[in-house]
Amino acid sequence: MRFRAADIDTYLKAADYVDTALIPLMKTTWATEAKTVTQAVEFTAQLADEMERQFHGRIMQFPAFTYAQSEPMASRIDRLLGWAADLKAASFSHICLLTADGEWKTAEKELDGMALFFVPALPLEFVEAKHRKEVMDGQLKQLIPLLSQLWQQKV
């Protein structure tokens, strides 16, 4: 399910089963590497959509957590911990963060139990539309065992 009106009614009926929040982490910049950052955002958004489709009824995909490249990591973490507190209060047992920004790996220990899924971005603009689903499925196959492991943990 996604964070949109059409899915909220479904969520409210099945809230006991939707225990996982998925938050894409997306960096923004207009600096010289804007093209690379934009490719990573596009990739992360499409992968998050695929995860939501694959696990519809178990995952609620939230809007992207966006941050400026220049924002200090400590500030990003503080804001993200606020999101996590709200989600935990709303009975989400698992909070998954999806990103193509490797900088988050350096802060993983500070994420207070949130699962960080780092997947290096592939520039999708060079992949034909008919092959994008295959690419996303390949990436998703790598994430499925991580999600399964997360869901097996006691909360």
Side-chain angles (χ1 to χ4, degrees), residues 69-142:
Q69 178 174 308
S70 61
E71 182 180 3
M73 182 58 80
S75 173
R76 298 178 207 170
I77 291 169
D78 284 345
R79 290 192 306 117
L80 194 53
L81 290 174
W83 281 40
D86 287 349
L87 293 171
K88 288 175 184 176
S91 299
F92 283 96
S93 304
H94 308 287
I95 301 171
C96 299
L97 309 173
L98 179 66
T99 189
D101 180 359
E103 190 177 356
W104 283 98
K105 293 295 288 175
T106 66
E108 194 167 8
K109 292 179 182 175
E110 300 174 57
L111 296 176
D112 194 30
M114 291 180 270
L116 178 66
F117 297 149
F118 167 72
V119 181
L122 300 171
L124 294 175
E125 69 181 308
F126 302 114
V127 178
E128 290 183 45
K130 63 183 178 182
H131 296 297
R132 285 186 183 189
K133 175 116 173 74
E134 294 171 25
V135 170
M136 288 295 121
D137 286 347
Q139 296 298 315
L140 195 54
K141 283 180 184 175
Q142 296 177 23

